């Protein structure tokens, strides 16, 4: 007994030493990697954020536009992503394709991406090439030139992209249908790449109209991260972006919002290409709000507790290991969005378990969690993991620039981003249960079944009918 007590004390001491060492290590990482963050605004309304990191003579140059697929005019879905492709064509000063070739010739890399709330363009180059990147990016911000034949060719490219990534992938089509069912009024229900029928009609005039309205310095955020100083960045930004004229009349980003939800919805999709059935449930959930990020932080914990790790989460342990009901069970939540976000649950049943049984098992575990609350040890472990994750993220200057870009184009401020790690650490189990009660409401959910198409009799008699219906 005495030996067992001694071993227990030694283990406790080791655990405390590890935690202390981790804390000290994280503090050192923060001091070394985070650098200094400075922000200012040019006279034309362009916001500039500088993230200093002198560990290597490299810089990440990013321009984020406060426009994405959710800002598209009705009937023109896919235009934001289409324009992103066209931005790599020519300007009045550069030939088509010269932008990326110039970046590559200077030893750098470049790319772009479109989301619901933003479109971003970035280059990673040696620090002494920053001025050249600004010169080229400023040029295509206002002086894009589109040749009709290039517009037609690029439209074929995005249609092929949809065919490859969405139309040929049943799970992608399923996720698309699920979001369309959840967001009945919000433009978040429209896929970023667009609906095929509308994409086929996109033309030069559509692209230029969207470009001329939204691609302007007063609708953009410049983020420069790496081996730079705010003084250097300000001088270059004023020289290259400063002369660009702002767009008049850009008001607040007001979009259609979701009406009150009073009934759960169900969706069934059968496709002969599906090899493994799966269940998904989406709930409407609040995103981070400037100055009030507490609910979103609690939802981060709820996602981790329910389905963050297959080995330790509530759903993973119960469905994958204890009962062998599923080969995968998880949860997801995206905290950054301009409007409402989503909280998701996914179950992939094990062999011999049908979707009705999988859904019943999921609901049983949710009911138990709502009755008992989170395990204290699991909660504390997740809090430490989140703390480590937030601090280690500072070690990649590119990821840090993206973190600020996503936040600032989604209605948050620099102060919100800085405060986010502390807001996360302030979450309590009571906070988690409060948001769980509010968000895990079947009246604000869509439950979907994805299954193989085996014939007219496919699916259990007690399952949902094909299509969407209120319950």
């Amino acid at each position: 007994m005495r030996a067992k007590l001694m071993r227990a004390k030694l283990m406790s001491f080791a655990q405390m030493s590890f935690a202390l060492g981790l804390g000290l290590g994280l503090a050192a990482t923060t001091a070394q990697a985070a650098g200094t963050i400075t922000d200012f605004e040019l006279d034309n309304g362009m916001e500039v954020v500088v993230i200093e990191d002198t560990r290597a003579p490299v810089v990440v140059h990013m321009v984020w536009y406060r426009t994405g697929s959710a800002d598209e005019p009705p009937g023109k879905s896919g235009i934001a992503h289409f324009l992103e492709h066209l931005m790599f064509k020519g300007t009045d000063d550069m030939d088509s394709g010269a932008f990326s070739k110039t970046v590559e010739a200077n030893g750098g890399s470049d790319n772009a991406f479109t989301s619901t709330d933003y479109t971003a363009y970035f280059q990673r180059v040696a620090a002494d090439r920053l001025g050249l990147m600004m010169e080229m990016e400023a040029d295509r911000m206002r002086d894009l030139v589109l040749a009709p034949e290039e517009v037609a060719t690029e439209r074929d490219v995005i249609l092929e992209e949809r065919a490859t990534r969405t139309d040929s992938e049943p799970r992608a089509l399923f996720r698309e249908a699920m979001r369309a069912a959840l967001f009945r009024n919000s433009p978040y229900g429209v896929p970023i790449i667009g609906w095929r029928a509308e994409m086929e009609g996109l033309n030069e005039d559509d692209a230029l109209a969207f470009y001329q309205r939204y691609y302007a310095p007063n609708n953009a955020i410049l983020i420069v991260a790496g081996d730079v100083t705010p003084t250097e960045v300000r001088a270059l930004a004023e020289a290259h972006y400063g002369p660009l004229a702002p767009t008049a009349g850009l008001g607040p980003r007001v979009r259609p919002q979701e009406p009150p939800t009073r009934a759960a919805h169900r969706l069934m999709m059968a496709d002969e290409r599906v090899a493994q059935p799966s269940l998904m449930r989406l709930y409407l959930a609040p995103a981070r709000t400037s100055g009030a990020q507490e609910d979103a932080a609690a939802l981060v914990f709820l996602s981790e507790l329910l389905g963050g790790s297959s080995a330790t989460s509530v759903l993973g342990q119960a469905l994958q290991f204890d009962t062998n009901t599923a080969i995968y069970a998880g949860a997801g939540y995206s905290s950054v969005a301009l409007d409402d976000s989503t909280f998701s649950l996914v179950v992939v049943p094990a062999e011999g378990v049908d979707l009705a049984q999988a859904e019943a098992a999921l609901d049983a575990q949710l009911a138990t969690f709502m009755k008992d609350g989170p395990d204290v040890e699991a909660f504390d472990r997740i809090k430490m993991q989140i703390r480590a994750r937030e601090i280690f993220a500072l070690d990649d200057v590119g990821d840090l620039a993206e973190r600020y870009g996503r936040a600032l184009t989604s209605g948050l401020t620099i102060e919100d981003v800085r405060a986010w790690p502390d807001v996360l650490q302030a979450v309590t189990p009571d906070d988690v249960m409060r948001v769980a009660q509010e968000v895990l409401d079947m009246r604000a959910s869509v439950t979907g079944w994805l299954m193989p198409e085996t014939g007219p009799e496919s699916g259990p008699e007690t399952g949902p009918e094909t299509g969407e219906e209120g319950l």
Side-chain angles (χ1 to χ4, degrees):
M1 177 65 71
R2 186 178 181 84
K4 290 182 179 180
L5 287 174
M6 181 61 72
R7 282 197 297 270
K9 290 179 180 179
L10 287 173
M11 289 177 62
S12 177
F13 178 76
Q15 290 168 346
M16 287 190 294
S17 297
F18 172 76
L20 179 60
L22 179 60
L24 292 174
L26 294 181
T29 301
T30 306
Q32 180 184 19
T36 302
I37 298 173
T38 306
D39 66 295
F40 53 89
E41 188 174 293
L42 302 183
D43 291 341
N44 59 12
M46 188 175 196
E47 186 175 357
V48 183
V49 178
V50 182
I51 304 170
E52 297 178 65
D53 187 330
T54 60
R55 291 175 296 173
V58 176
V59 67
V60 175
H61 172 263
M62 308 190 80
V63 172
W64 295 71
Y65 292 97
R66 294 184 181 91
T67 187
S69 63
D71 300 296
E72 297 166 340
K76 302 296 180 181
S77 65
I79 190 64
H81 175 247
F82 185 33
L83 178 58
E84 176 213 310
H85 279 240
L86 294 173
M87 285 289 285
F88 289 87
K89 303 306 178 183
T91 71
D92 56 354
D93 293 326
M94 297 185 70
D95 294 334
S96 179
F99 190 108
S100 293
K101 291 178 181 177
T102 303
V103 175
E104 183 180 5
N106 282 270
S109 60
D110 74 318
N111 214 324
F113 47 89
T114 304
S115 186
T116 52
D117 298 320
Y118 53 76
T119 309
Y121 301 82
F122 70 91
Q123 304 86 42
R124 184 186 292 266
V125 293
D128 61 1
R129 299 296 191 271
L130 177 59
L132 177 60
M133 299 303 106
M134 287 196 188
E135 179 183 353
M136 295 194 299
E137 198 68 82
D139 181 35
R140 69 174 174 178
M141 182 181 288
R142 279 312 206 185
D143 294 329
L144 185 66
V145 175
L146 298 179
E149 63 274 13
E150 290 186 328
V151 172
T153 299
E154 210 59 42
R155 184 174 57 240
D156 290 341
V157 170
I158 62 169
L159 286 168
E160 179 60 27
E161 186 176 334
R162 178 175 172 95
T164 303
R165 298 183 180 181
T166 304
D167 296 336
S168 63
E169 296 288 340
R171 294 190 188 281
L173 289 170
F174 180 58
R175 289 191 297 269
E176 188 176 83
M178 289 288 292
R179 285 186 64 87
L182 183 69
F183 293 107
R184 296 168 293 153
N185 195 46
S186 165
Y188 283 175
V190 178
I192 295 171
I193 198 168
W195 300 116
R196 171 169 284 276
E198 295 181 354
M199 294 168 66
E200 290 172 342
L202 297 177
N203 56 41
E204 179 182 349
D205 291 340
D206 297 327
L208 288 175
F210 197 81
Y211 169 76
Q212 290 163 0
R213 175 165 180 78
Y214 293 111
Y215 279 53
N218 56 323
N219 199 44
I221 302 165
L222 169 64
I223 301 181
V224 180
D227 190 13
V228 293
T229 67
T231 302
E232 294 168 341
V233 173
R234 182 187 289 272
L236 290 171
E238 288 178 345
H240 296 293
Y241 294 108
L244 301 180
T247 292
L250 276 177
R253 299 167 75 184
V254 179
R255 300 164 174 168
Q257 300 296 301
E258 286 302 300
T261 52
R262 298 184 175 88
H265 288 73
R266 300 188 68 91
L267 182 147
M268 175 185 286
M269 177 177 162
D271 192 302
E272 61 184 4
R273 298 169 294 181
V274 174
Q276 176 64 60
S278 61
L279 159 73
M280 175 182 287
R281 181 175 295 160
L282 298 180
Y283 301 88
L284 287 172
R288 287 161 61 184
T289 302
S290 183
Q293 303 182 89
E294 289 77 12
D295 285 359
L299 285 168
V300 170
F301 276 78
L302 179 63
S303 172
E304 293 290 337
L305 285 163
L306 288 179
S309 166
S310 295
T312 60
S313 67
V314 169
L315 297 179
Q317 277 189 318
L319 302 186
Q320 292 181 240
F321 295 99
D322 293 348
T323 64
N324 295 319
T325 301
I327 60 174
Y328 174 77
Y333 168 66
S334 177
S335 68
V336 180
L338 186 62
D339 298 311
D340 280 342
S341 185
T342 61
F343 190 96
S344 63
L345 299 170
V346 177
V347 178
V348 180
E351 186 72 25
V353 178
D354 64 34
L355 288 169
Q357 293 170 320
E359 185 174 346
L362 168 65
D363 288 334
Q365 290 304 315
L366 291 177
T368 299
F369 178 82
M370 297 304 294
K371 177 173 67 73
D372 297 339
D375 176 78
V376 175
E377 289 186 3
F379 182 87
D380 290 341
R381 181 183 66 251
I382 288 171
K383 178 168 282 194
M384 176 61 76
Q385 291 171 346
I386 288 175
R387 179 170 179 252
R389 187 172 67 204
E390 287 295 310
I391 295 179
F392 288 146
L394 303 175
D395 196 48
D396 188 314
V397 69
D399 287 349
L400 191 58
E402 286 193 29
R403 175 173 295 207
Y404 277 89
R406 287 193 301 270
L408 295 175
T409 51
S410 302
L412 299 172
T413 66
I414 287 179
E415 290 70 26
D416 292 325
V417 180
R418 287 170 172 159
W420 180 239
D422 291 335
V423 175
L424 286 167
Q425 289 304 301
V427 172
T428 67
D430 287 342
D431 294 328
V432 172
M433 297 312 297
R434 174 178 54 79
V435 296
Q437 291 283 356
E438 295 171 357
V439 171
L440 302 184
D441 182 349
M442 288 299 291
R443 294 170 298 179
S445 74
V446 176
T447 302
W449 290 8
L450 177 64
M451 63 188 68
E453 189 169 31
T454 57
E457 73 284 356
S458 64
E461 293 183 0
T462 57
E465 297 180 1
T466 301
E468 176 187 344
E469 75 176 51
L471 294 181

